[in-house]
Amino acid sequence: MPEFVGAVDQGTTSTRFMIFDHSGNEVAKHQLEHQQILPRSGWVEHDPVEIWERTNTVIQNALRDGGLSASDLRAIGITNQRETTVVWDPRSGRPYYNAIVWQDTRTDRIAAALERDGHGDVIRHKAGLPPATYFSGGKIKWLLENVDGLREAAEAGHAVFGNTDAWVLWNLTGGPNGGVHATDVTNASRTMLMNLETLDWDDELLGIFGIPRSMLPAIHPSSDPEAFGAARTSRPLSAAVPITGVLGDQHAATVGQVCFSPGEAKNTYGTGNFLVLNTGEELVRSRSGLLTTVAYQFAGSPAVYALEGSIAVTGAAVQWLRDQLKIIGTAPDSEQLARSVEDNGGMYFVPAFSGLFAPYWRSDARGAIVGLSRYNTGGHIARATLEAICYQSRDVVEAMEKDSGVHLDVLKVDGGVTANDLCMQIQADVLGVPVSRPVVAETTALGAAYAAGLAVGYWSDTDELRTHWQESKRWEPQWEEERRQEGYQDWKRAVERTLDWVRVGDGD
């Protein structure tokens, strides 16, 4: 009997394959970055072919490094960067264009027109999302309108769409030779095209965007024993391993953090930050700038919904310190540099590189450093960057409490930035509640593995998964309330400085 479960984690900056045992412990992992293509200001693209090649390589290398073969895997889950849009020819597997990444702002005219033409309220009610550059629907529309011959190909059935989960799944299951064109409810809920009540593509929404239904993948529960097929016995696996779990990355992290009860929340720190609050089987519509989304759905059970606060740039701001400002050599160096000063020196950094997401939804915003004086050093910039991660999360927590009435007693955290002890201490200080990190901090891949394993009986139920969760470290708040509130008010003033910098539709 195979002893392990694997998970493809196709992220914004890298792809990895992780293998877990029955206790949820990491057995093996391999990870590779892929190119960030920036053809114009505000445009962010990936090469889908490169992503697929990276997926091949990390699966093969993780198995090799773990001394395992494909026959040792009971099942595979897939988790992915959401909203990033791929359109390809199912006859050849050739993409019609680069993947348009979730951070990309080229569709600001489309989003503004949707609001102006009165479609915004329909989209909010049916899809739970505001018209914004973030989501897949506008990206598909842009491709149909700007790639020569694509609309004709789509109407002829020769062009199909998927977020990167569907792209990886289709290739893993055979590509042009019988590949499964499918997605799950969590990824579908991020397109502006799925009705949250019916959990199906909505004809009215498709009509608003002018997207043929034939382009879209079949929608299935996130954990299902049959819906997603099996990996082919050719590259990269040598055995027909069933693919039984698919979730968008933040939904997978919610499962990995075992947030299975209403009121439980997690915050994932990656390229951006994503705070998700489980609202149970109740569909809670936000009035405070949050997203209503599907948290997950297990086969045979109703969908579980969530409120989400999505922040575009957090860990990416640390990368900016490394790659553009070059004041640190590696991302972890940001902690040492920030510790070289006692505070931010009166300086605030709002990294609105792609506009502001929740709870503001302002595509006209751009980054700003305010309160700068000659006294300030690179240490202050590094500390202000870490504080920006934490203040943006507080913006979301405040909105979440307004919408749900739930006051967090503790914030569960995961993702790469949680290795930064100073940042997590600042997060506890800014929020005024404890911050808790699990033993397995990379819970996105773990959640995809959990979904896949549940579908095939590798794990019996969610209660069993709860027994595997263990706390690695907890940070208690240390700031006095006066400092906490004054700092937050200064942050809000800094945010105001970032607005109205770009005319919508000008492409920067």
Side-chain angles (χ1 to χ4, degrees), residues 68-83:
L68 303 172
S69 68
S71 59
D72 292 312
L73 301 179
R74 183 82 170 270
I76 291 174
I78 297 173
T79 184
N80 60 293
Q81 53 168 323
R82 303 169 302 171
E83 299 95 19

Side-chain angles (χ1 to χ4, degrees), residues 196-328:
L196 284 174
E197 295 180 358
T198 66
L199 304 181
D200 195 7
W201 305 119
D202 187 273
D203 287 333
E204 183 178 11
L205 295 176
L206 294 177
I208 289 171
F209 286 90
I211 296 172
R213 179 183 279 264
S214 60
M215 291 185 71
L216 304 178
I219 303 174
H220 297 294
S222 313
S223 175
D224 192 290
E226 298 179 351
F228 303 114
R232 288 295 181 96
T233 55
S234 57
R235 193 176 67 133
L237 294 161
S238 57
V241 183
I243 300 170
T244 53
V246 174
L247 300 106
D249 50 11
Q250 304 315 316
H251 316 265
T254 302
V255 172
Q257 285 276 35
V258 297
C259 293
F260 296 127
S261 298
E264 293 184 322
K266 69 87 200 173
N267 199 15
T268 296
Y269 299 74
T271 303
N273 268 29
F274 303 89
L275 205 158
V276 177
L277 174 72
N278 184 324
T279 63
E281 296 175 20
E282 179 185 4
L283 202 164
V284 177
R285 301 187 185 279
S286 176
R287 299 178 181 274
S288 305
L290 302 179
L291 309 177
T292 302
T293 192
V294 179
Y296 57 85
Q297 184 186 25
F298 299 147
S301 300
V304 172
Y305 294 96
L307 286 171
E308 178 180 326
S310 303
I311 302 165
V313 177
T314 54
V318 177
Q319 292 177 326
W320 181 72
L321 299 183
R322 181 193 68 189
D323 299 339
Q324 273 74 34
L325 291 193
K326 301 186 185 302
I327 62 173
I328 56 175

Side-chain angles (χ1 to χ4, degrees), residues 348-432:
Y348 290 81
F349 172 31
V350 185
F353 299 150
S354 303
L356 289 170
F357 285 7
Y360 304 101
W361 298 109
R362 294 290 296 264
S363 62
D364 61 316
R366 284 299 178 269
I369 297 175
V370 301
L372 191 64
S373 70
R374 190 171 179 181
Y375 163 75
N376 294 121
T377 66
H380 294 116
I381 293 176
R383 192 172 186 103
T385 301
L386 300 186
E387 289 188 359
I389 294 172
C390 302
Y391 279 121
Q392 289 183 99
S393 293
R394 176 162 175 179
D395 283 338
V396 169
V397 168
E398 297 266 329
M400 207 163 270
E401 290 181 352
K402 289 179 183 177
D403 278 339
S404 68
V406 173
H407 177 77
L408 293 182
D409 295 322
V410 63
L411 181 65
K412 289 183 175 181
V413 298
D414 56 77
V417 179
T418 64
N420 187 316
D421 285 341
L422 176 59
C423 188
M424 292 301 97
Q425 182 59 58
I426 295 171
Q427 186 68 87
D429 292 335
V430 164
L431 290 178

Side-chain angles (χ1 to χ4, degrees), residues 136-184:
S136 311
K139 302 179 197 304
I140 304 170
K141 180 177 174 65
W142 186 93
L143 288 166
L144 289 169
E145 292 176 349
N146 289 275
V147 176
D148 289 343
L150 180 56
R151 180 168 293 280
E152 292 77 11
E155 291 173 351
H158 298 153
V160 297
F161 151 78
N163 295 134
T164 59
D165 66 303
W167 169 246
V168 168
L169 175 69
W170 184 79
N171 279 289
L172 269 177
T173 53
N177 301 309
V180 175
H181 186 214
T183 190
D184 86 303

Side-chain angles (χ1 to χ4, degrees), residues 15-16 32-35 49-59:
T15 303
R16 65 185 146 195
L32 289 172
E33 292 189 357
H34 54 262
Q35 183 184 8
V49 175
E50 181 188 20
I51 284 175
W52 168 233
E53 290 298 327
R54 293 288 191 267
T55 303
N56 268 300
T57 302
V58 297
I59 291 174

